[in-house]
Structure formats: structure tokens, C-alpha cells
Amino acid sequence: MSLAPWRSHLARALHRNRSLVYARYLQLATVRADGRPANRTVVFRGFLEDSDRLKFVTDARSEKAEQIDRQPWAEACWYFPNTREQFRISGKLMLVRENHPDPQLQKARQISWQELSDAARVQFAWPHPGQPRADVEAVAPAYPDPTQPLSDFCLLLLDPMQVDFLELRGEPQNRWLYRVDSDRNWSGEAINP
Amino acid sequence: MSLAPWRSHLARALHRNRSLVYARYLQLATVRADGRPANRTVVFRGFLEDSDRLKFVTDARSEKAEQIDRQPWAEACWYFPNTREQFRISGKLMLVRENHPDPQLQKARQISWQELSDAARVQFAWPHPGQPRADVEAVAPAYPDPTQPLSDFCLLLLDPMQVDFLELRGEPQNRWLYRVDSDRNWSGEAINP
């Protein structure tokens, strides 16, 4: 598989911002059941092997899991502070839950679980997110088995369909829009910032 | 007017992250005409006087202006790197265009224009955002008059209805949800992270 043309911009941004741990954090927008937007910070966990799909992890009990079932379209906004670049990545989300039928995706889910820190894994053993605060004991369980994902752990994949890349440095700024067609071929054009 | 209870958290976060210019950048999600989300980085320009409304600026020709006319609900996601705090602020957006009838809001629009840098003001003289790239001369006009907003310059206000505040430091983390009722009274509760 050949990489999408925006991948080289993104790889360079990740490299040039590697001194900032939070350069791997981005904001993922989805749409709620009532048609209003939702937006939260997620951590980029790399690309799914041999694909342009971005990996994140999430909890099956979180509001976004339900939102994705209704409306899989999302837009990620990723700002790189050191280089003053922004990527707006729109595409479709897919949740890989505990019972997902695809064995390759199940394997990817398993690997993502293993790659998490203990502190990240234990969050999937906490009480139901968003509900009234449980007592401290309930939210401080033992660290879960690193080889066996907890049932609420999901791999979350974003399959990009359009990437809007903005370089804020420069006057005027530079901006490119990349789009994929139904044959999965990417094309790009320079647009006004 | 008494300040909303989440304002003290936000004021503290702004103060503790003041060394980072990009701690004033946040991601604003809206909904497109086709029901898909949009998400972009915007710059926090302070609060509208005597209110909890967040100020931003935007271009009347941008896609978000049209999106707001159809669906004013938005969610801002604001991550503070130094203190590892996240604010998710949902509420209604309002655009203050050139012809807005409210004289106080017009005055606020005028002040926001004056407070911009030359480099920020000149962007409103650039060719239509998102269209195929114009030649360099067209995107390098003279600096506009700092006392007279260009016609496409808009003040953008976000009126918060719900604020979800997450402290990522700590194990477990701490999270609070604040909501406003129809009498503009705020209440808050601790919820599970």
C-alpha cells in the first residue's frame, strides 16, 4: 500500500514536535444523538498496520461509543505547537469492541491494550464514566492483567476521507486540502488559508 | 453578575499555563449542513464584559459562519498542557457580523478588531478562505486600518450551557460537570472520570 500524500506532512510534524508529549494529543469531534457536537481530547496511538487509519483507545461505556454507533463521521483537529501546523482529519470512526468479528482487528485491539501503561489500563476498571462520583475505593482497583483486555476496552479507528493541512507560519499562510475518491486514490490542492 | 463556578478553575488554568502562548488555543466543534462534525483551532480572546461568554474572531466567509447559522450548538475542547486539565464547554454560538443590530455587541466587535495584531487583521483581507489558492500578490495586501473592521470580520461568542472539567493529574482523576438552568443558575457535581 502506498501512503496517502498527507502522511509525510504528518510524519514530519510528529518528528519536529517529538519533544512535547502532548503533541500526540488531538481533539476528536463527533455528533450527539440530539444533533449537537461533542469534542474531547484523545491520544494518537499510531496507525493501524498497512493502512492510513489512526488508532485511539476508548471505553465502551463512554458517550462517544454510543455517538459513533449512530453517526460514525468525525473530525479530528490536531494542532502542533512547535511548528504551528494544524491537521483537520475528517473520516469515519470504527469501534473494535470485545466481540468484534474480525480476527485481525481483535489482534490489533489486544496489542493496543498491551502497549498501554498501567495507569492507562486501570482506567478501564474504574466505575462508569460520567456517572456521579463513586467512592475512592471503587476507583482505585488493582492494575489489570496486561495480556488480557478488560471487556470495556475498545480500539477506535479513524479512516480519513479528507485532510485539511494548514501551516500557520508564514504570511500568507499555506494550506492544502487532500481528498480520497471511491477507489481510495488521494488528490490534493493548495487552497486559500 | 456573579461568575459561573467553573470560571475560577479556568482562570487558574490560564494563569498556570500562561508561559505557553498556545494555552489560549482551543478546538471548536460545530456541525456541518450534512450532519457531520467540523473541528478547528480557535484563539480565546477573553470574556465578553460582564458575562460568561467566550470571545473568538472569525471570517464571515469561513465555513463555520454558515454552520453556525444552521446549528448554533458547539462544543469547545480546551486542553492545558502544563497542568493536564481539560475543559469541554458546550453552548450556543453567536456571530456578530458587520450589520449586527445590537450597538453594544457592535462596540465589542470594534474593540476585538483593534486588539488584533496587524498579522491577524490582514487575514480578513485575504482571498476567500478554502477556495483554490490565489496568486501571492492577492494574498499579500497592505495592513488594514486598525480602527475600522473589515466587512468580513466577525466577533464570535460562545455562551456556555455545560462545562465538563477534567483534571488528568491524579489516579484516579477528578472530573466535575457544571450545568446552567433556565434561570441562568449554575450547579455542579463530581462525576467519574
Side-chain angles (χ1 to χ4, degrees):
Chain A
M1 192 204 83
S2 66
L3 290 181
W6 49 269
R7 288 283 297 271
S8 56
H9 297 302
L10 186 58
R12 194 186 53 194
L14 281 163
H15 182 72
R16 292 189 179 167
N17 291 269
R18 67 190 182 284
S19 64
L20 304 175
V21 62
Y22 48 83
R24 298 180 76 84
Y25 300 177
L26 51 111
Q27 280 69 37
L28 184 69
T30 52
V31 177
R32 301 177 195 272
D34 61 6
R36 299 174 184 173
N39 202 5
R40 80 288 285 161
T41 305
V42 293
V43 180
F44 173 61
R45 309 278 180 186
F47 286 94
L48 187 71
E49 207 176 353
D50 297 326
S51 87
D52 292 321
R53 287 191 274 182
L54 288 79
K55 292 191 291 183
F56 312 101
V57 303
T58 193
D59 193 304
R61 301 167 297 173
S62 70
E63 286 186 353
K64 68 172 140 345
E66 190 196 349
Q67 289 159 14
I68 293 164
D69 289 340
R70 289 169 180 267
Q71 165 57 290
W73 278 89
E75 188 159 292
C77 183
W78 198 347
Y79 181 73
F80 288 92
N82 278 351
T83 49
R84 306 198 63 219
E85 295 166 292
Q86 174 184 266
F87 293 81
R88 295 173 61 180
I89 305 174
S90 31
K92 280 187 171 179
L93 290 171
M94 190 177 82
L95 269 178
V96 184
R97 289 188 169 85
E98 187 179 29
N99 59 357
H100 196 284
D102 184 319
Q104 279 202 297
L105 293 179
Q106 272 305 341
K107 192 179 168 195
R109 173 176 174 267
Q110 171 96 21
I111 291 169
S112 288
W113 174 258
Q114 289 166 357
E115 288 174 347
L116 291 184
S117 65
D118 280 331
R121 274 193 292 259
V122 77
Q123 296 178 32
F124 295 91
W126 288 352
H128 197 293
Q131 290 189 353
R133 179 75 179 210
D135 59 31
V136 172
E137 286 69 32
V139 291
Y143 285 135
D145 181 350
T147 67
Q148 181 53 49
L150 289 180
S151 60
D152 287 323
F153 173 76
C154 301
L155 175 63
L156 177 60
L157 301 172
L158 175 60
D159 192 7
M161 302 288 172
Q162 179 175 298
V163 177
D164 181 333
F165 170 47
L166 174 64
E167 289 181 331
L168 284 163
R169 280 189 178 153
E171 195 176 316
Q173 304 156 353
N174 291 306
R175 186 177 173 195
W176 290 268
L177 187 64
Y178 296 95
R179 285 199 187 94
V180 74
D181 66 17
S182 52
D183 295 328
R184 309 289 306 176
N185 294 315
W186 285 90
S187 59
E189 63 169 338
I191 60 173
N192 292 323
Chain B
M1 192 202 83
S2 67
L3 289 182
W6 49 269
R7 288 284 296 271
S8 56
H9 297 301
L10 185 59
R12 195 187 52 195
L14 280 163
H15 182 71
R16 291 187 179 169
N17 290 269
R18 66 191 183 284
S19 63
L20 304 174
V21 62
Y22 48 83
R24 298 179 76 84
Y25 301 177
L26 52 112
Q27 279 69 38
L28 184 69
T30 52
V31 177
R32 300 178 196 271
D34 62 7
R36 298 174 184 174
N39 203 6
R40 81 287 286 163
T41 306
V42 293
V43 180
F44 173 62
R45 308 278 179 185
F47 286 94
L48 188 71
E49 207 177 352
D50 297 326
S51 87
D52 292 319
R53 286 190 274 183
L54 288 79
K55 291 191 293 182
F56 312 101
V57 303
T58 192
D59 193 303
R61 300 167 297 173
S62 70
E63 287 186 351
K64 67 173 140 348
E66 192 195 349
Q67 289 159 13
I68 293 164
D69 289 340
R70 288 169 181 266
Q71 166 56 290
W73 278 89
E75 188 159 292
C77 183
W78 198 348
Y79 180 74
F80 288 93
N82 278 351
T83 48
R84 306 198 63 220
E85 295 166 293
Q86 174 184 266
F87 293 80
R88 296 174 62 181
I89 305 174
S90 31
K92 280 189 171 177
L93 290 170
M94 189 176 81
L95 269 178
V96 183
R97 290 188 168 86
E98 186 180 28
N99 60 358
H100 197 284
D102 184 320
Q104 279 201 299
L105 294 178
Q106 271 306 340
K107 192 179 167 194
R109 172 178 175 267
Q110 170 97 23
I111 291 169
S112 288
W113 174 259
Q114 289 167 357
E115 288 174 346
L116 292 185
S117 65
D118 280 331
R121 274 192 292 258
V122 78
Q123 297 179 30
F124 295 91
W126 287 353
H128 198 293
Q131 290 190 352
R133 179 75 178 212
D135 58 31
V136 171
E137 286 69 33
V139 290
Y143 286 135
D145 181 350
T147 66
Q148 182 53 48
L150 288 180
S151 60
D152 287 322
F153 173 77
C154 301
L155 175 63
L156 176 60
L157 300 173
L158 175 60
D159 192 7
M161 302 288 174
Q162 179 175 298
V163 176
D164 181 333
F165 170 46
L166 175 64
E167 288 181 329
L168 284 163
R169 280 190 178 152
E171 196 177 316
Q173 304 155 354
N174 292 305
R175 187 177 171 194
W176 291 268
L177 187 64
Y178 296 94
R179 285 199 187 95
V180 74
D181 66 17
S182 53
D183 295 328
R184 307 291 304 177
N185 294 315
W186 285 91
S187 59
E189 63 168 337
I191 60 174
N192 292 323

